[in-house]
Amino acid sequence: MKILVVEDEHKTGDYLKQGLVEAGFVVDLMRDGRDGLHCALTDSHDVIVLDVMLPGMDGWEVLRAIRAAGREVPVLFLTARDEVDDRVRGLELGADDYLVKPFAFSELLARVRTLLRRGGKAKEAECLRAADLELDLLRRRVNRAGKRIDLTAKEFALLELLLRRQGEVLPRSLIASQVWDMNFDSDTNVIEVAIKRLRVKIDDGFDLKLIRTVRGMGYVLEAAD
Ligand code: CA
C-alpha cells in the first residue's frame, strides 16, 4: 500500500512519514503543492494525505487538478482551521475525509485505514496489474504478455496478495497468515515452495523478473528494476 503525503511543515511531514512507514506503508513525502500534484499524477497511490496550506499550489488546487485528471484516489485533507467552510469546500471538491490539526497520529492512521478499505471495495471488480502481468479478480484468470497462466487456488491467492501490496516487502509470517491462514512456523517450507512454483509460472522466460526474494526479510513483487 502506497501513500502520498503532501505537507510543507518539516516536522509534521517527517513525523507522518515515519509513523506510516512503521505501520507498514510505502510513503512518498512531498513538501510543496506542485511537487505533490506531479507525484500524484505520475505515480499511483492508495491514499493521499493532503495539507491545505501549501506553498506553490494550495491543497484545494492540488485536489481539483487530481480530480480533473480523473484520479479517484481517496484524499484525506489536513486543515489547520476548524472552519465549517473549509470542510464543506474540501468535501465539495472531492476530498473523502478531513482531519483538523493538531491531531493524534493514531487518529490519522484510523482514517487512512478506513479510506483504504473503502477504496479496496470500490476496486474489487477490477484487475490487478504489474508491467505485463494481469490478474483478473472476477474471472480468476492470470496472464502475462497476453498468455494465459494456470495457477492453483493458493498460487492465485499468493499472487493476489503480492500484487495488492506490490513494492512492499512481505514477510513470510504475513504471507502465512494471509494466504494459508496459519501462524508462521519456521520449520515449514510451504511458502518457499509456493513462491518457487509461482516464479516458474510467472517469471520464467521473461527478462523482467517480477518476484524477488529479499534475504532475511521476505518477498516483494515489483515491476521496476
Ligand atoms: Ca501547511
Side-chain angles (χ1 to χ4, degrees):
M1 293 283 171
K2 199 168 183 185
I3 298 183
L4 168 62
V5 176
V6 190
E7 168 61 88
D8 60 310
E9 289 155 52
H10 272 252
K11 268 172 87 175
T12 311
D14 291 345
Y15 164 78
L16 287 177
K17 178 168 182 174
Q18 190 192 339
L20 289 167
V21 166
E22 281 169 10
F25 296 103
V26 176
V27 180
D28 286 331
L29 173 61
M30 295 291 146
R31 311 212 187 247
D32 169 283
R34 284 181 212 286
D35 293 344
L37 176 61
H38 180 75
C39 187
L41 297 181
T42 52
D43 206 339
S44 166
H45 302 94
D46 297 288
V47 169
I48 298 178
V49 177
L50 184 58
D51 188 30
V52 171
M53 302 302 286
L54 290 168
M57 209 177 167
D58 70 23
W60 310 125
E61 294 175 87
V62 174
L63 175 61
R64 197 180 289 122
I66 288 171
R67 295 297 183 238
R71 297 296 183 109
E72 298 294 322
V73 52
V75 171
L76 172 64
F77 251 129
L78 301 181
T79 169
R81 295 168 294 181
D82 189 8
E83 300 266 336
V84 176
D85 279 0
D86 271 10
R87 295 182 213 170
V88 171
R89 191 172 171 197
L91 296 173
E92 274 175 3
L93 282 172
D96 298 272
D97 202 357
Y98 64 90
L99 206 51
V100 177
K101 289 178 179 177
F103 52 83
F105 181 75
S106 57
E107 176 65 20
L108 177 113
L109 191 57
R111 302 285 187 96
V112 164
R113 289 197 164 127
T114 302
L115 289 176
L116 283 171
R117 274 197 299 276
R118 265 194 243 156
K121 263 181 204 147
K123 281 184 216 145
E124 209 56 70
E126 292 176 12
C127 290
L128 301 173
R129 290 186 183 87
D132 53 357
L133 176 73
E134 190 178 64
L135 182 148
D136 183 329
L137 287 159
L138 271 186
R139 296 190 188 82
R140 312 291 295 173
R141 269 188 205 163
V142 173
N143 63 63
R144 183 153 186 197
K147 193 171 157 257
R148 176 92 176 262
I149 296 168
D150 286 316
L151 298 181
T152 65
K154 284 293 177 211
E155 288 165 352
F156 189 94
L158 178 57
L159 183 61
E160 182 183 342
L161 176 68
L162 287 164
L163 275 166
R164 279 190 191 281
R165 302 183 58 165
Q166 59 185 284
E168 251 185 89
V169 179
L170 304 182
R172 288 175 184 81
S173 55
L174 184 138
I175 294 172
S177 68
Q178 303 253 321
V179 178
W180 278 269
D181 195 26
M182 65 179 191
N183 290 323
F184 182 63
D185 169 3
S186 53
D187 287 332
T188 176
N189 66 348
V190 60
I191 293 165
E192 279 82 342
V193 170
I195 288 276
K196 201 175 166 189
R197 288 203 181 123
L198 189 58
R199 266 186 172 149
V200 168
K201 292 182 179 181
I202 298 299
D203 280 340
D204 269 11
F206 291 93
D207 288 339
L208 176 64
K209 308 295 182 198
L210 295 171
I211 301 172
R212 204 156 50 81
T213 305
V214 182
R215 248 193 129 78
M217 294 184 71
Y219 303 97
V220 61
L221 187 150
E222 228 166 6
D225 294 336

